[in-house]
Structures are given as structure tokens and as C-alpha cells.
Amino acid sequence: MDFNRDIRPILAENCTHCHGPDEKERKGKLRLDVRDDALKEHEGGVPIVPGKPEESEIIARVCSSDRDEVMPPPKANKTLKPEQKELLKKWIAEGAEYRLHWAFDKVKTPPVPEPAKAAGVADLAEWSRSPIDRFILTRLNQEGIAPSPEADRRTLARRLALDLLGLPPTPDEVETFVSDSAPDAYERLVDRMLASPHFGERWGRHWLDLARYADSDGYEKDLARPYAYLFRDWVITASNRDLPFDEFTIEQIAGDLLPDATEQQKVATGFHRQTLTNREGGVDKEEFRCKATVDRTSTTGAVWLGLTVGCAECHSHKFDPISHKEFYQLYSFFNNASERDIPEPTAQELAEHQAAMDVWQKKLTELERPLQAYLAQITPERLGEWEATLKLPAEHWTVLPPARLAAIMEGAEEQFTAQKDGSVIARPRDAVRTRYRVVVAPPRGATGFRLEALADPGKKVGSGKDGDFGLSEFYATIELPGGETKRVNFARAAVDYADDPKGAEWIIDNDRTTHWTVKKQGKASHVAVFDLAEPLDLPTGARFELHAEFFTEGVMSHFRISSTTDTAPLTPDLTPDAIRDIVQTPAEKRTETQWKKLTRYYAEVADDEGRELNEAVLVHQATKPVLKPTMAPVMAVDTRATHIHIRGDFLQKGDEVQPGTPAFLPPLQPRAEKADRLDLARWLVSPENPLTPRVRVNHIWRHLFGRGIVATENDFGARGDKPSHPELLDWLAEDFRAHGWSQKRLIREIVLSATYRQSSNWRADLVQRDPLNVLLARQGRFRLEAEAVRDVNLAVSGLLNPKIGGPSIKPPLPPDLAALSYAGGLKWAESPVSEQHRRGLYIHFQRTVPFPMLVTFDAPESNVACTRRERSNTPLQALTLLNDSTAVECARGLGRRIAGQTGEMKDQLRYAFELVIGRPPEPAELSRLRQYCDRQSQAFRDDPEAARKLLGGKCDGDPTGPATLVAVGRVLLNLDELITRP
């Protein structure tokens, strides 16, 4: 008896729902998935007595005819079959041995078998090319089934091109391979395709399914994500350069946490920015942040571990050993992260900005000339007279650059980045009722803080309609090492100007409805200072935060925070520290640079003519070109307490948990006391983790054979299918890991095998014995994915634009579909025609209004990770290939290609067939095409207007011939063989 093969499926299907990991659903406090528990006495009986099925309560219960005693109970609608009961009896009689679930056990390196020859069955010498073949052939020999012969060379060329590139081979490529008699011809063909830049597009699309990639937010408004494509480009590039899968994993989960992380490593974290986002007004942003975090947790479990981790969101998993608490320990890794957009300017954006800067700088130089001429006339004596009137503050201020900066609106917190000089520029979307949370490191003994509201050249100081701001509260908090948070209120506040004399008091009165405003001086900079009751003395490890809350009016457009250790009361003075230092320097010791700075400052603030000349400069400075770069959506580190959500409700918080991984898997090895996403990413690809290599190998195998070694690729748990070839799965997983996690090498190993190279022809002897081709006695034959269906049509018609990467495209979309979007507000500006003919993976994917052709051919909805696309067969698909605007364009393009071939009609038809299908036509096929041509030609001669319509109205001469070839093109493009991977 084999526990995993014979007994675990029975228990998982019939018993562990009530007697398994979920403590809330568990009946009688009995677990049948844990041997020690099953062998204990429960309610007067022992469920399992090893060696004695007749004394085992479980046997008595499953064999009982009493409705009150039988298990499973009648209300479960489950009944064990007689053969299942016998298996349980035999298992207990043999000692009731339990074994760890196969997927949770460590990856073993099984010996490569030596298949024994059987009568009528191929043996190793006749068929095997690699260790893969030995595993497959051993099983086939056991079943008495012979493998299929190798496919012909044309089929192999087409299969390889579609599998590795998602594009059909050209006739020249096929002929070159067919005529190449060298022993390594096939191997060289494989290497050429693996080196093609289109490889990254094909295999990148597979990964984007797992990443739930889309170009919009989802939910009702479904706003566009114009820069989502940066992650797609990263995936394509990483696939092409064969970034090892361990690094591929780490950069997507925690690229931002790597030492000296590059911009591209940060872009990689866009994997978890593909979650749905609800930006509608009035929603609870914390609720949807939690939903996104749940999705990130579940997706990580599905993609890398092959487990239904999300089933433990509301309660402990009913079948796999993942507790409710462990789900939120995994959740904690992503809860301690926030969404952020970082600049990722393109070369074109940089060039255009530089050109604009050159023009702007030229104008600035012209405006500076009269000002500089006037400044040269200002004498030291004149400056001396002005200096004598100055009353400078005694305090010295130190700018506090934010260690962490966030804006909190309606309870939702968004991190963003301060300027290099430590100041903060408000974002355009920062509205009234925004609180800025600024983590700073004040010096020991700090006596107060200064908040400068900076009016940039030519701009207002605030974002309100009058250029105003309304600062309601300014206070500090200290988070102690133990987690306790204390609020620090200031003893005194003072401002340089306020519309109301009480403006300064209102900033620190703990009343949101009062505020400091400067409406009458909205064009000028302003300053507020805040005295502490006593010098600051932070405990070691404490975190100090300043909070600026704007409850009415607007926010400060640009602000900066400083601190001082000088004695209070502090002075709200706007004199820059650099100017004060110059004034306090004796005249004879000032440098030329200092004199120039002082003169410029004097002209700006104290001299009428100088102020007027400087105003023109300031107005022009306000027009300084701003680089508005492409912004990459990424993840960034954050800190939050994580609690269990009782029944999955984010409002019902249970016990606090720390980041961690399920106990049944190898332990996490954190770098510090508290684990982070980088620790999680490294754990996923650690040598001890048994799931990640198996899961990834299985995904790759499925794409090359149409079915995984484990058919349930999203569930390697107790309810998932067992592997059809367990030793092969482990051999591939260990080989994958041992050779540097190279995906290209693994793919190469598989496609070079005789198993992959078999014919996919139907076999009568397998119809009953192996209808799903689990044993792999032949290759799989299946329809291409939605994007590839479109791509092969464009490729054979000569219309395909092979450009790689870049923003998404928008081919023509029926206007009635755009009207289905939220309030009919979808803006679908069609891309230029040449861009419309790029590959399908570049089509803009609007979640609520997905591109119809893709959905018709079963593209995923991209709301959650898609581990396997379904394949349907519907009339809509046939109609799409016949009548879709792109399909008609492809037929016209193919018609033009056919017309460009010299020779008789039969030669043109033979060329067209081989171009589209990749093989010469059979005589019967060529004859039917010729008959069709004759009928269509006659029809178009009888109705020339129909011919012109088919050509799109573009024909100067007789439309009969061109229209006939377009009609032929439509027939060929609608052949099942074109969109089928052989």
C-alpha cells in the first residue's frame, strides 16, 4: 500500500473536511490527517488501531448501515465505494503508515531508469534521446504501449516556432531545416529560436498570465494604467536574457530591498502592482488596500508554491496544513509594503526635455543680463546701510530630510518621495483633508521645529483656489520600541504672518476646524516655528514623526521642515541661513561669492528697481520645463502592524502576527529579528523548499505538452492530482535547480527529447487506454492562445509589426463596446495603423472592457492569477476569424502576398498554402482550392461591386483577380491547422 497514492485521496475527499486542519470545522476534536491524533482514543473509541482494522472505529463507521453512525454522514452527500473501504482495511492491517504528502516532501534525485525491453514495445536504444525519455519510456513499457514515431521535419519546425516564439516559421526557415542533413540540424534550430528576441514575448506572455497583468485598475471606474507596460517590458527582457528563476523570483517579490537596488530591479516589483485598485470616490481605501494585500498573498502561494493559500483567508485550510494564523503571517510580508510610482524616463522623454531646457535657458540668460548689470551698480556701502537695519534671529536651523514620507487621505496612506534638498512638493492629487506623515531624525536636545511654506518662482504658496493653504494641526508622535505611540504637542507656535491674529495658536489647539491661512499674501513664502516644552530626548530605537494636517482650504504646495537646539522662544523668520551667515561675517572676510549672494538677496527683497527686474526672471523661472517622465509602478517598504482578520473581515482584528511561513514547510531564515519580503523571496527559492522548483517545472512542461505532469498546476495540495510521472518531476526539478535555475536550459532539455519530438497524430489504440494523453505516447495537439491566434494571422499575411516592447496599443474597437464602460467614459484612441499590427500581448487590456477578440479565444480576465487558460470551441471564434476587421485586413494582406508571386494560379495557390500552413498542399487540397478560385472568380465577375467591397474599395483596375486572391486568403486563414499547434 502507498499512503499518498491509495489512502490520502480517500481521506481528503471524504474525511478531512470535518477531521482535518480547520480547527473551527473539526468535529470531535479528531484529526485524521495527523497519525498521532488518529491513533488516540476519542469519545470511547480509537479511530485507527494499526494492524487491527476490526478494532478501528474508522472502519466500523464507514461500514455502518446506521444513519446516525455511518461516516461520512448522510448530509455530506458522500459515500465510500466498496473498493475504498477495502483499501482502508488493508492499509490499517499493514500498520496504517502515514507519509508526508508527496509535494511537501523534499525533492529527491531519482536514478535515471533503464527501461526493460518488452515484446512489441520500443526500447531505449531505438527511441530514447535524454533522461526524460527514459522516465517516459519506462512507464509506457509498464503499460505495454509503444511511443509514437518522430514527427516529420516540417511539423517539428512549426511546433518549435509556435512553442518557443508564438509565431509560425517562414517557408525559407522550414526549407532550410528540411534540407539540412547535419546530425545537429534540429539542435541548431532550437538554439536559434531560443536566441530570438521573440522568445521573451512568447514566454513573457505565459508569465503575465500568472502576474494578472492588465492596463487598467479594474472595478467600476477601471482607470487606465498608462505605465503598466514597464513591468511587461521587464518580463520580456528577463526572459530573453534567461535571468535565473531564483533571481527572477527575488526581484519580483523584493527587488526594492536588494542592496543597491537598480531601477530595473525596482520595476520588477511591479508583479504585485497588477492587483485591482479601486480609485472611486467615497470608497474605504483601507478595505481595498487589504483586498490587494490578500490577493498578493494568494497569488504568491499559487504561482510559486502551487497551493490554494487563499482558502485560509477566512479560516484554516480544510485540506492542507495552512492555518488561519499562517495565512496572515504570509499576509504580513505584503502588509509591510506600499505602492509607489518612481520615475523611469524614456530616452525620447529625456531628449525632448533637454531640447526644451535649452530654449528656456537661452531666454533666462537674456532676462538675467539687465538684472546682473543693475546688481553690478550696488556698492558695499549701500549694502552696509541696509545690513544695519536687519534684525536677525539667533537660532540656527538644520533641514530634516524625510526618512519616510506619506500622505493620508480618507484613511488610506500612500508613500511618496521628498526632493533631494529635503523639501516636500505636494502631489497634484493631494486634496483638502490630507495629513502628511513625515518620519525624521531630529538631533538629541532639539528644542523646536520650523515649517517653511515655500512659494516657488511664479507660483502660489498653497493649493487652494486663492493660492492659500489651511494648516489645521501640526504635532509630533514618538513610537517606542515596544510599539507604544505617544503624541507630542508643542508648547508654543509663532508665524511670520497670518490672516487671523490667532492663526499660530490654531495650529496647536487640537481642533481641526481652526487653521492658519495666508490668503492676503498667497504669493509669498511663509514660516511657522514650534517650541517644545522641553528638549527632545528620544529613547534608542524610537521613531519620531511629524504630522501636518490640512483640514480646510488647500495644502502647502512646497514645504520644508528643520529643527534647532537653540533656546526658545524661537523666531519665525524667513531669512535664509546662508544670508544670515554672510551678514554675520565681517565685510573684509567675505568672499566674492558671498558678496554676490548678498547683493542678489538685497535686490530681491529690499530694492524696488532690483525687485522689478527680478520679477521678470521669477516669472520666467516659473515656466521652467518640468520633466514628466514615465512613472514605473513598484512596491516599496513600509511598516504596519498585522492582525488576523476574523472571518476575513479587515474590520475585525484578531491577534497581532509577525511575518512568517507555514510550519509544514522548511523554516524561514530571516536576516534580522523581523523577516521581510526579501527573506520570503529567498525562502521561496531556497534549496530546502520542495514546492517552487516542482511548480515551475510543471508550468513549463504544461506549455510544451498541453498538460502538466501534475494536471492541477494550481493545487499541489491534498486535493490536487498526483503527478503522472513523480520521479520525472523530481528529476526535472532538481536538474532545474542544479543548473542555476535556467529556464532556457530546461526548455531546451525538454524540446530536444524524443518525447517532445513525437508525432501528435491520433492513435486508435490510445482512445480508451489514455484519452487524455497522460502517459505521453504521442505529442499533444491543441489550439493556440488568443494572442498567438492573432499573431499567426498577422505574420503569414505580412502585416506583423515585429517591434518589441513599449506602450500598449489600441487596435480598432467597436464603438458600442466602449459605451459599456463606466458612464461610457472609455477613451479608446486608436493607435497608428503600423502600431495596430503589433503582437497580441501588446494590446491594451481594459479589465471591464477587454479586447473582444482576446476574450473570444479565452484570454484570462486578469483579475486574479491565471495558471491555466481554458480552451473553448464556439461559433463566435469562427465568426471572428472570418469577419473581424483585423482578420479581413490579414486576408487582404495575404492576397497581396499571393499576387506578388509569379507563375500560374496553381503555383500561387501552392505558395499560399505553404506560407500559411507550413507544408505543401496535398493534391486533393490543391484541387479544392483551385475549384474554389474558379467559383469565386466567376462570382466576382458577375458582381464587381462585391469584389471592390472585399478589397476595401481600393482597386483601380479589374477587381476580380485581386478579390479572388483575398477570398482564397480568407479560406486559408480560417483553416484549423493554422491556429493549431501540431
Side-chain angles (χ1 to χ4, degrees):
M1 296 289 293
D2 183 289
F3 177 77
N4 279 324
R5 182 191 66 211
D6 303 317
I7 304 303
R8 186 184 294 278
I10 299 174
L11 298 180
E13 175 65 27
N14 301 283
C15 307
T16 54
H17 183 275
C18 297
H19 302 293
D22 186 358
E23 62 277 0
K24 292 185 179 179
E25 291 288 336
R26 195 177 302 146
K27 302 297 189 292
K29 299 180 180 180
L30 168 63
R31 290 190 68 169
L32 289 176
D33 61 325
V34 177
R35 188 175 194 270
D36 289 346
D37 201 50
L39 269 55
K40 293 178 183 176
E41 182 177 331
H42 287 268
E43 300 180 358
V46 180
I48 295 174
V49 181
K52 299 179 180 180
E54 69 280 359
E55 296 181 16
S56 299
E57 185 69 17
I58 189 174
I59 299 299
R61 290 300 191 97
V62 300
C63 295
S64 174
S65 58
D66 187 335
R67 289 179 58 84
D68 295 329
E69 293 291 324
V70 67
M71 288 292 165
K75 65 181 181 180
N77 293 319
K78 294 179 180 180
T79 304
L80 266 67
K81 298 175 183 177
E83 57 267 28
Q84 291 177 316
K85 296 175 184 178
E86 290 303 315
L87 282 173
L88 287 175
K89 291 178 182 178
K90 184 178 179 182
W91 168 62
I92 294 174
E94 292 181 1
E97 179 190 1
Y98 277 68
R99 288 184 60 189
L100 186 65
H101 179 53
W102 68 267
F104 306 156
D105 203 356
K106 66 179 182 179
V107 176
K108 303 176 179 64
T109 309
V112 178
E114 292 288 344
K117 186 173 181 179
V121 177
D123 67 5
L124 181 64
E126 296 171 348
W127 190 72
S128 168
R129 294 180 185 273
S130 78
I132 293 172
D133 301 320
R134 294 172 184 243
F135 286 103
I136 298 297
L137 190 59
T138 296
R139 179 75 188 277
L140 289 175
N141 282 346
Q142 291 171 357
E143 300 290 335
I145 299 174
S148 295
E150 182 171 300
D152 65 83
R153 284 203 161 193
R154 293 181 184 278
T155 298
L156 286 177
R158 186 172 182 81
R159 180 186 297 168
L160 270 179
L162 293 175
D163 278 351
L164 301 189
L165 309 179
L167 296 170
T170 66
D172 288 344
E173 289 171 335
V174 174
E175 289 305 319
T176 299
F177 175 57
V178 169
S179 60
D180 189 343
S181 59
D184 64 345
Y186 179 79
E187 188 173 342
R188 286 187 285 107
L189 178 64
V190 169
D191 291 339
R192 284 198 301 273
M193 291 186 178
L194 288 173
S196 168
H198 296 301
F199 172 87
E201 293 178 312
R202 174 62 166 164
W203 286 83
R205 179 62 261 182
H206 294 328
W207 187 258
L208 293 175
D209 280 4
L210 299 174
R212 66 273 195 237
Y213 175 86
D215 293 287
S216 67
D217 285 346
Y219 294 115
E220 187 177 30
K221 283 194 174 179
D222 199 22
L223 299 176
R225 296 176 175 175
Y227 304 129
Y229 75 88
L230 292 172
F231 173 71
R232 180 179 61 205
D233 285 358
W234 181 88
V235 171
I236 293 171
T237 301
S239 299
N240 275 333
R241 65 188 181 97
D242 196 22
L243 182 67
F245 188 71
D246 57 345
E247 297 177 37
F248 187 74
T249 294
I250 290 168
E251 291 187 14
Q252 289 179 91
I253 298 291
D256 58 306
L257 296 177
L258 289 169
D260 302 318
T262 65
E263 292 301 308
Q264 282 301 296
Q265 287 172 328
K266 294 175 184 177
V267 168
T269 64
F271 177 90
H272 274 317
R273 283 296 304 274
Q274 306 303 317
T275 53
L276 277 71
T277 301
N278 195 339
R279 288 192 272 169
E280 298 169 34
V283 301
D284 187 331
K285 294 189 177 182
E286 178 62 13
E287 176 185 5
F288 287 95
R289 187 194 68 80
C290 290
K291 285 179 180 291
T293 307
V294 165
D295 175 70
R296 287 165 185 147
T297 307
S298 302
T299 297
T300 301
V303 172
W304 277 277
L305 301 177
L307 296 176
T308 53
V309 170
C311 291
E313 177 192 354
C314 303
H315 49 72
S316 292
H317 204 292
K318 296 188 182 302
F319 304 103
D320 296 330
I322 306 171
S323 70
H324 192 36
K325 176 182 177 181
E326 287 173 330
F327 176 86
Y328 285 98
Q329 287 180 302
L330 283 171
Y331 174 99
S332 181
F333 286 108
F334 303 104
N335 196 40
N336 285 299
S338 288
E339 298 180 352
R340 183 179 296 175
D341 295 343
I342 62 171
E344 190 69 18
T346 65
Q348 181 179 350
E349 288 170 341
L350 291 172
E352 290 174 353
H353 178 255
Q354 186 57 52
M357 279 296 297
D358 291 343
V359 174
W360 179 86
Q361 185 63 48
K362 182 179 179 181
K363 179 66 174 176
L364 178 63
T365 302
E366 293 174 3
L367 293 172
E368 281 278 356
R369 286 197 192 101
L371 176 60
Q372 293 300 326
Y374 179 74
L375 294 179
Q377 300 173 19
I378 299 175
T379 64
E381 291 76 20
R382 189 169 163 189
L383 287 175
E385 293 173 3
W386 167 69
E387 288 181 52
T389 66
L390 293 177
K391 294 181 180 179
L392 298 176
E395 305 92 67
H396 288 76
W397 296 95
T398 302
V399 174
L400 298 178
R404 180 181 176 279
L405 173 64
I408 302 173
M409 294 177 287
E410 300 180 17
E413 181 171 311
E414 296 181 11
Q415 287 194 54
F416 64 109
T417 306
Q419 304 301 299
K420 291 182 179 179
D421 64 358
S423 66
V424 176
I425 295 179
R427 304 168 307 168
R429 64 176 178 273
D430 291 349
V432 175
R433 301 193 180 185
T434 294
R435 173 163 62 94
Y436 292 104
R437 179 181 172 195
V438 189
V439 178
V440 293
R444 181 176 294 277
T447 55
F449 298 88
R450 179 175 70 179
L451 175 63
E452 297 173 87
L454 305 171
D456 292 332
K459 298 181 180 179
K460 299 291 183 69
V461 73
S463 67
K465 63 180 181 180
D466 297 321
D468 191 20
F469 60 79
L471 180 61
S472 299
E473 294 296 317
F474 190 77
Y475 61 93
T477 56
I478 300 174
E479 183 180 332
L480 300 173
E484 180 186 358
T485 299
K486 297 195 308 180
R487 175 162 171 156
V488 179
N489 292 316
F490 294 104
R492 170 184 172 270
V495 298
D496 70 311
Y497 168 80
D499 292 326
D500 191 289
K502 293 185 178 181
E505 299 174 25
W506 287 343
I507 307 174
I508 57 173
D509 65 353
N510 287 331
D511 183 352
R512 286 183 173 181
T513 63
T514 60
H515 47 265
W516 169 40
T517 60
V518 292
K519 289 182 179 180
K520 297 176 184 177
Q521 295 186 14
K523 291 185 178 181
S525 295
H526 295 281
V527 64
V529 293
F530 304 89
D531 300 356
L532 287 165
E534 56 186 27
L536 194 62
D537 186 16
L538 289 176
T540 302
R543 186 166 79 167
F544 188 84
E545 296 182 356
L546 289 167
H547 304 259
E549 188 166 351
F550 300 86
F551 193 70
T552 58
E553 305 297 336
V555 300
M556 291 177 180
S557 300
H558 189 179
F559 64 88
R560 180 169 56 215
I561 297 173
S562 307
S563 68
T564 184
T565 56
D566 291 333
T567 305
L570 306 174
T571 307
D573 188 87
L574 280 165
T575 305
D577 289 351
I579 297 300
R580 184 185 58 186
D581 292 342
I582 294 172
V583 171
Q584 292 176 345
T585 301
E588 65 275 11
K589 293 185 178 180
R590 294 173 187 169
T591 65
E592 182 180 352
T593 301
Q594 287 177 320
W595 277 112
K596 287 182 177 180
K597 284 184 178 179
L598 187 62
T599 302
R600 180 78 178 238
Y601 183 73
Y602 163 76
E604 290 173 357
V605 301
D607 182 88
D608 291 340
E609 187 174 351
R611 191 181 294 113
E612 183 178 343
L613 290 169
N614 190 59
E615 183 67 24
V617 174
L618 291 178
V619 169
H620 180 65
Q621 285 180 334
T623 68
K624 184 176 182 179
V626 177
L627 175 63
K628 296 180 179 178
T630 295
M631 300 295 290
V634 302
M635 300 300 294
V637 69
D638 202 349
T639 303
R640 293 186 184 89
T642 300
H643 295 264
I644 293 172
H645 295 176
I646 298 172
R647 295 184 178 179
D649 183 353
F650 80 106
L651 293 176
Q652 296 188 52
K653 290 182 167 54
D655 294 340
E656 184 173 350
V657 296
Q658 299 300 319
T661 51
F664 71 91
L665 290 171
L668 184 72
Q669 302 293 335
R671 309 182 322 282
E673 182 178 351
K674 186 174 182 179
D676 60 16
R677 281 179 290 119
L678 183 55
D679 294 317
L680 173 67
R682 289 173 172 166
W683 173 81
L684 288 171
V685 292
S686 66
E688 296 77 24
N689 194 312
L691 286 168
T692 302
R694 284 180 175 133
V695 170
R696 187 56 191 154
V697 160
N698 193 62
H699 276 300
I700 290 174
W701 186 272
R702 182 179 64 80
H703 289 304
L704 296 172
F705 289 95
R707 177 189 176 93
I709 296 174
V710 178
T712 53
E713 74 296 318
N714 62 333
D715 189 1
F716 274 50
R719 293 299 299 275
D721 287 359
K722 300 185 296 294
S724 59
H725 299 78
E727 294 83 7
L728 173 59
L729 179 64
D730 271 17
W731 185 88
L732 287 169
E734 185 55 37
D735 183 71
F736 179 42
R737 193 160 52 189
H739 287 87
W741 298 88
S742 169
Q743 297 187 90
K744 278 192 176 183
R745 183 196 170 278
L746 175 62
I747 293 169
R748 186 179 189 273
E749 181 87 13
I750 295 173
V751 301
L752 287 178
S753 69
T755 305
Y756 176 85
R757 294 158 71 166
Q758 292 180 98
S759 167
S760 60
N761 289 344
W762 180 82
R763 286 173 50 177
D765 62 318
L766 298 178
V767 172
Q768 296 298 325
R769 299 192 64 183
D770 189 18
L772 298 179
N773 197 30
V774 174
L775 301 177
L776 293 169
R778 61 180 178 85
Q779 244 293 6
R781 182 182 176 88
F782 41 85
R783 197 196 67 215
L784 296 171
E785 298 91 339
E787 296 87 348
V789 168
R790 182 177 184 273
D791 293 347
V792 296
N793 273 266
L794 288 170
V796 300
S797 66
L799 298 181
L800 181 68
N801 178 349
K803 176 183 172 184
I804 295 173
S808 295
I809 61 168
K810 293 182 177 179
L813 183 75
D816 53 334
L817 284 181
L820 295 176
S821 64
Y822 175 74
L826 176 62
K827 301 296 187 291
W828 190 274
E830 289 184 12
S831 302
V833 174
S834 61
E835 288 288 302
Q836 293 177 18
H837 294 157
R838 295 182 64 203
R839 295 191 67 171
L841 87 160
Y842 298 116
I843 293 177
H844 178 96
F845 196 91
Q846 191 80 20
R847 280 185 163 117
T848 56
V849 191
F851 194 68
M853 181 270 168
L854 299 182
V855 177
T856 301
F857 282 92
D858 307 311
E861 59 183 10
S862 293
N863 291 336
V864 296
C866 174
T867 57
R868 179 181 64 225
R869 292 193 184 192
E870 299 299 329
R871 286 190 177 90
S872 63
N873 194 355
T874 70
L876 274 178
Q877 293 165 353
L879 291 171
T880 297
L881 291 178
L882 193 65
N883 299 321
D884 180 78
S885 59
T886 300
V888 174
E889 284 185 72
C890 288
R892 290 170 181 161
L894 181 57
R896 290 192 293 272
R897 292 191 77 177
I898 300 170
Q901 292 299 305
T902 58
E904 299 179 5
M905 177 60 75
K906 66 177 182 180
D907 298 320
Q908 290 180 317
L909 294 178
R910 186 179 291 107
Y911 163 80
F913 192 95
E914 197 162 341
L915 174 66
V916 174
I917 305 302
R919 62 174 176 81
E922 299 292 336
E925 293 170 328
L926 187 60
S927 175
R928 290 191 66 184
L929 272 178
R930 184 57 190 265
Q931 292 171 18
Y932 175 77
C933 270
D934 293 341
R935 289 198 304 271
Q936 283 299 118
S937 182
Q938 184 59 53
F940 286 137
R941 277 194 292 271
D942 295 341
D943 188 357
E945 193 55 38
R948 289 190 179 88
K949 186 176 180 180
L950 182 59
L951 294 171
K954 302 172 184 177
C955 185
D956 296 331
D958 183 1
T960 302
T964 300
L965 294 180
V966 171
V968 169
R970 292 184 85 185
V971 168
L972 293 175
L973 294 178
N974 277 270
L975 292 178
D976 184 64
E977 198 169 345
L978 171 64
I979 61 172
T980 300
R981 182 274 210 183

